[in-house]
Amino acid sequence: MSKPRSIMSDRAQIDALVLQIGRLVRHRGYVRKNVASAMLLKYLPSDAGYDWRGEAGLQVRFHEAGLDLKTLEYLLTSARLEITHIQERAR
């Protein structure tokens, strides 16, 4: 019996996750220490995000990590939630 697959492929999940992480770290309200997910923190730059250009490196890192779809979905959801929280704090 095969495992159920996500609607998105691993590659699409990684692409979406890298895009969201880029949006997160470049957001003017981004403060790394305010990020709630310890797992997501492992993939965020430790310095200010404005000059971060690590998308290519992050792509490679995620592909090499061999994360399962459930983990990728968790990270993607966490990144999106962090962006939402930043936007709410900025209001």
Side-chain angles (χ1 to χ4, degrees):
M1 183 175 216
S2 65
K3 294 190 293 185
R5 297 290 291 175
S6 170
I7 294 172
M8 295 174 72
S9 69
D10 291 0
R11 182 167 202 81
Q13 285 277 33
I14 291 171
D15 291 346
L17 177 56
V18 169
L19 177 70
Q20 292 303 309
I21 288 175
R23 283 187 60 215
L24 173 62
V25 301
R26 287 187 180 92
H27 193 285
R28 63 182 167 81
Y30 169 71
V31 178
R32 189 177 194 280
K33 68 180 180 179
N34 291 342
V35 173
S37 170
M39 188 182 300
L40 181 60
L41 277 171
K42 291 178 10 180
Y43 297 100
L44 298 178
S46 57
D47 55 348
Y50 295 113
D51 297 324
W52 183 69
R53 300 287 182 252
E55 282 90 344
L58 196 53
Q59 286 271 354
V60 171
R61 188 171 172 196
F62 281 128
H63 284 290
E64 289 176 351
L67 301 174
D68 60 35
L69 282 174
K70 187 174 182 177
T71 302
L72 289 170
E73 288 169 359
Y74 170 82
L75 290 168
L76 182 55
T77 299
S78 295
R80 287 178 175 153
L81 285 172
E82 291 296 337
I83 292 168
T84 299
H85 291 150
I86 289 172
Q87 291 169 338
E88 288 173 356
R89 285 192 296 264
R91 289 182 197 176

